[in-house]
Amino acid sequence: MEQLEFFAVQNPCVGVCSVDDRGYCTGCMRKREERFNWLSMTPAQQLHVIKLCRQRYLRKKRLSNSKKCLSEPSESQNVPDSPTKQKRLFD
């Protein structure tokens, strides 16, 4: 039996609609099918997609951190990140 949801699940789109080499949106980490079918999904399915997106994001972050540790430190890594207007979905 599916649990009743009283509030609509917010769309995870952050307005950065470009795709990485694995086919995931770089903004929200959803696959193409997940983005296109979002409005026809049940709230339980939407929550499941958000859970998958969070896992994808953490996996990607973990891989990028391990690659940084393996590479030599460079001057560009010592420069603080410039402020950005894009909000982070999972941080």
Side-chain angles (χ1 to χ4, degrees):
M1 182 162 88
E2 187 175 328
Q3 180 177 347
L4 295 176
E5 295 291 336
F6 294 107
F7 301 102
V9 178
Q10 186 176 358
N11 191 326
C13 180
V14 294
V16 181
C17 300
S18 62
V19 181
D20 66 6
D21 58 341
R22 295 191 56 136
Y24 299 125
C25 174
T26 56
C28 64
M29 298 303 293
R30 290 183 291 173
K31 295 188 292 188
R32 183 175 194 243
E33 298 82 24
E34 294 166 346
R35 293 190 318 264
F36 289 166
N37 297 324
W38 181 259
L39 295 177
S40 63
M41 291 180 182
T42 66
Q45 290 171 322
Q46 291 173 338
L47 290 172
H48 181 69
V49 168
I50 290 176
K51 180 180 177 182
L52 292 174
C53 292
R54 189 172 293 119
Q55 290 172 349
R56 293 171 190 150
Y57 173 79
L58 292 173
R59 185 179 318 119
K60 186 174 183 177
K61 187 175 179 180
R62 196 169 39 243
L63 286 173
S64 69
N65 286 342
S66 67
K67 287 180 183 178
K68 284 181 185 178
C69 290
L70 295 176
S71 67
E72 295 180 41
S74 65
E75 293 178 22
S76 64
Q77 290 177 343
N78 295 332
V79 176
D81 293 339
S82 61
T84 178
K85 293 183 181 180
Q86 176 188 351
K87 68 177 185 176
R88 297 287 183 193
L89 184 61
F90 301 111
D91 283 339

